[in-house]
Structure formats: structure tokens, C-alpha cells
Amino acid sequence: MRDALPVTDLLAPPSFLRGVLALDGWSRLQHVWDGVPAIAAGLCESRHAYDWDTLRLSTHRLITTFPFDTSLLPPGGKTLLINLMHRRLDSCLDMVTRARLQRQAYDTGAVPPSPHGAFSPMQVLKSIEAHVLGLQQSRSLPAITKAIFGRINGDDNLELLSRMHGEISASARDTLWPTLLEWVLALSFHNDPVDLCLMDVESLMGSHDAIQLIHDTIKGDPPLKVAEAAVRLAERFPDTAIVPSLASLLAGRYPNHLKRSIAMVLTAVGDSTAIAHLVRITLSDTPDLIQDGQPFW
């Protein structure tokens, strides 16, 4: 039988999770969290294109403009949430890619590729279950309904968390892992139908002009995936208004493959400095890193 919790724990103030759940507009981020896997599942069965770049930029803008009370967040909590949401997008895009490659392999008679990465859901499931029970008892969180708990333990969450568990270094896992589980709990803590989630995702993507969306999301040295998506979107909407924002990325800590793409876009919109940028990058001795040169966490 579980030992009774100390009185000091029962009377302790609630974690940042409870404060986040009370924020106006948090449900929209929850809808993106649950809507993206549903979009990916539909794309796995079709050959239709989807505007992942606009989805990524819109999601990033939503997170970075969200009115978080910093007193509620643990150290680095918002950065952790940004990384978690982008890993969600990456995981769903990987799922679509694997499904389409597998179908193509069957069409051509080739051997289907194996799924990427190790998947150990039972280990993650045990961690989630123990952590959720501990949160409910020690921090006076409301009871979690069966439907919500099932969503937290759903395949999409478990696969994502199992990958991330392997990516986090052992030395950082003790501090990062509980916070990641709390974010997943906060993002899954609703009972809204998938159709409503999908409608909110489409509304989010259609609520901003493409050029303004690029301006809004590449401020402040954004993550590499966001910068890449912004450059691809700029290629589809060439406009001189985008030159200052794209040029600012050239001074960032980004690999040369992205800076070459930026220079090509600047050339397409008639920026007179683009050729100089392109030559400088081409002659640079700096190695072109696949990642952005920083640890993911």
C-alpha cells in the first residue's frame, strides 16, 4: 500500500502545470498537439501534399507569443516546450515519410524500410503513469479522466517520448524528464474531439499573411527547423519585404547549407548583396554541420 504523503507536500503550491492549464488560449496549443498526428495519419493513406512549413511557422509563432507567467515556469521551461512541439512535428512528418516510402517499396517490390529509432513504450508508459499519479497526489491536480489518460499514453506520445528519452543525456535526464512529462500532460489534458482540433489547426495556419508570418517567426535566432521552413516559404513567396529578415539569418549560428539557400532566395528577389553573401559562404572554411551546432537540449 502506498505510504501517506507528508503534510508539507500536500500543502505545497501547485506546479507550473496547474498554472499553465488555467491560461486563456492554452486549448489552442493542445489542439495543435492532437491535431498534427491526425493530419499525418490522413496523409499516410494519401499522396496529397501538405504545407508543413506554414504549420511549423504558425505553431512556433503561437508558442513564442503565448502569455506565459515566467514565475510559473521551471528554468528553461518555455525553451523545452518549443523543442517538444517541434519534435512532435518532426515525428509526425517522419511517420508520413515512412508510410509513403513503405507503400512505394511495395509498389516496386523492394524491401520496406524499418522504422527509424528504437521504440520502448513500456518503459515510457511506466514513467508517465508513476509521474501522473505523483502529480495528482502531491500537487492537488484535478483527477484525470480515463479518456485523457488514454490520450497521454497514446502511441503518438509514447513514440515521441521514447525517442526523446534516448536523446537526453543521462546527466540531464533527472531534471529534464519530469518536466517533459508534465508538458505532455498539460498538452494532452483535454477531451476535445479531433475534428475540433483539426479545425483549429487550419484556422491557425490561415490566420497570418505568409510574409508577415516569416517576419514574426525568424526573430531572435529561431531553431534551425524554423529557419529552414521560413526560407522554403520565402522561396514560394518572393518579395523584397522579406530581405531584411532573411539577411538577419545570415549572421546567425546556422550551417552553410541554410545560408546558401538564404542567399539564393535573396538573389531571386533582387537583393544586390546576395551574390557577395553566396561567394563568401561558398569560400568559407566553416564546416557545414547537419545540426545547428548546439545540443538539442
Side-chain angles (χ1 to χ4, degrees), residues 17-18 21 132-133 135-150 152 185 188-191:
L17 174 58
R18 191 170 186 176
L21 292 173
V132 167
L133 291 175
L135 279 175
Q136 285 187 230
Q137 295 186 30
S138 66
R139 300 179 181 178
S140 304
L141 290 176
I144 300 176
T145 66
K146 184 177 181 181
I148 291 175
F149 196 75
I152 294 170
L185 176 61
S188 305
F189 204 96
H190 68 100
N191 256 330

Side-chain angles (χ1 to χ4, degrees), residues 229-242:
V231 173
R232 285 192 296 267
L233 200 60
E235 289 175 349
R236 290 158 46 194
F237 298 96
D239 192 303
T240 55
I242 209 64

Side-chain angles (χ1 to χ4, degrees), residues 8-295:
T8 53
D9 286 344
L10 291 173
L11 299 179
S15 69
F16 81 94
L17 174 58
R18 191 170 186 176
V20 166
L21 292 173
L23 290 174
D24 292 334
W26 177 254
S27 61
R28 190 164 209 191
L29 204 54
Q30 291 175 321
H31 290 169
V32 174
W33 180 261
D34 273 347
V36 172
I39 292 170
L43 292 173
C44 286
E45 303 299 325
S46 71
R47 300 182 186 275
H48 296 150
Y50 193 81
D51 192 355
W52 286 97
D53 291 332
T54 297
L55 175 59
R56 189 180 292 276
L57 293 183
S58 299
T59 301
H60 187 72
R61 184 185 186 279
L62 178 62
I63 305 171
T64 54
T65 59
F66 204 79
F68 285 109
D69 182 352
T70 54
S71 65
L72 293 173
L73 299 180
K78 187 173 180 180
T79 300
L80 212 58
L81 175 63
I82 290 173
N83 284 329
L84 181 61
M85 289 296 297
H86 284 296
R87 288 296 277 118
R88 178 71 149 196
L89 292 172
D90 293 341
S91 178
C92 291
L93 185 56
D94 286 347
M95 180 176 70
V96 175
T97 302
R98 289 200 309 265
R100 294 188 171 183
L101 287 174
Q102 187 175 47
R103 185 170 58 233
Q104 181 182 4
Y106 279 121
D107 291 342
T108 60
V111 178
S114 59
H116 171 71
F119 181 32
S120 53
M122 292 309 297
Q123 178 183 3
V124 179
L125 178 60
K126 184 177 180 181
S127 297
I128 293 176
E129 188 171 21
H131 191 72
V132 167
L133 291 175
L135 279 175
Q136 285 187 230
Q137 295 186 30
S138 66
R139 300 179 181 178
S140 304
L141 290 176
I144 300 176
T145 66
K146 184 177 181 181
I148 291 175
F149 196 75
R151 183 176 293 123
I152 294 170
N153 292 335
D155 290 343
D156 298 318
N157 285 343
L158 290 178
E159 181 173 2
L160 177 61
L161 285 170
S162 65
R163 291 185 180 192
M164 294 171 69
H165 189 275
E167 293 171 357
I168 302 173
S169 65
S171 59
R173 195 170 293 152
D174 289 343
T175 55
L176 291 177
W177 187 242
T179 306
L180 284 173
L181 294 180
E182 289 198 17
W183 275 130
V184 171
L185 176 61
L187 289 164
S188 305
F189 204 96
H190 68 100
N191 256 330
D192 297 334
V194 174
D195 288 347
L196 178 59
C197 296
L198 293 174
M199 288 175 58
D200 215 359
V201 171
E202 292 300 320
S203 174
L204 176 68
M205 292 177 63
S207 59
H208 305 288
D209 172 77
I211 301 299
Q212 186 60 46
L213 182 60
I214 295 172
H215 280 296
D216 291 344
T217 52
I218 62 178
K219 296 176 182 177
D221 199 19
L224 176 60
K225 292 293 181 70
V226 177
E228 288 176 338
V231 173
R232 285 192 296 267
L233 200 60
E235 289 175 349
R236 290 158 46 194
F237 298 96
D239 192 303
T240 55
I242 209 64
V243 170
S245 295
L246 284 182
S248 68
L249 290 180
L250 289 171
R253 53 179 180 83
Y254 298 108
N256 288 342
H257 78 266
L258 176 61
K259 293 185 177 183
R260 281 192 292 270
S261 298
I262 294 171
M264 295 303 293
V265 175
L266 292 176
T267 303
V269 299
D271 178 41
S272 59
T273 65
I275 297 299
H277 288 310
L278 190 58
V279 171
R280 175 176 58 82
I281 294 166
T282 302
L283 297 178
S284 173
D285 293 330
T286 305
D288 187 9
L289 302 176
I290 296 176
Q291 302 298 329
D292 58 3
Q294 298 292 328

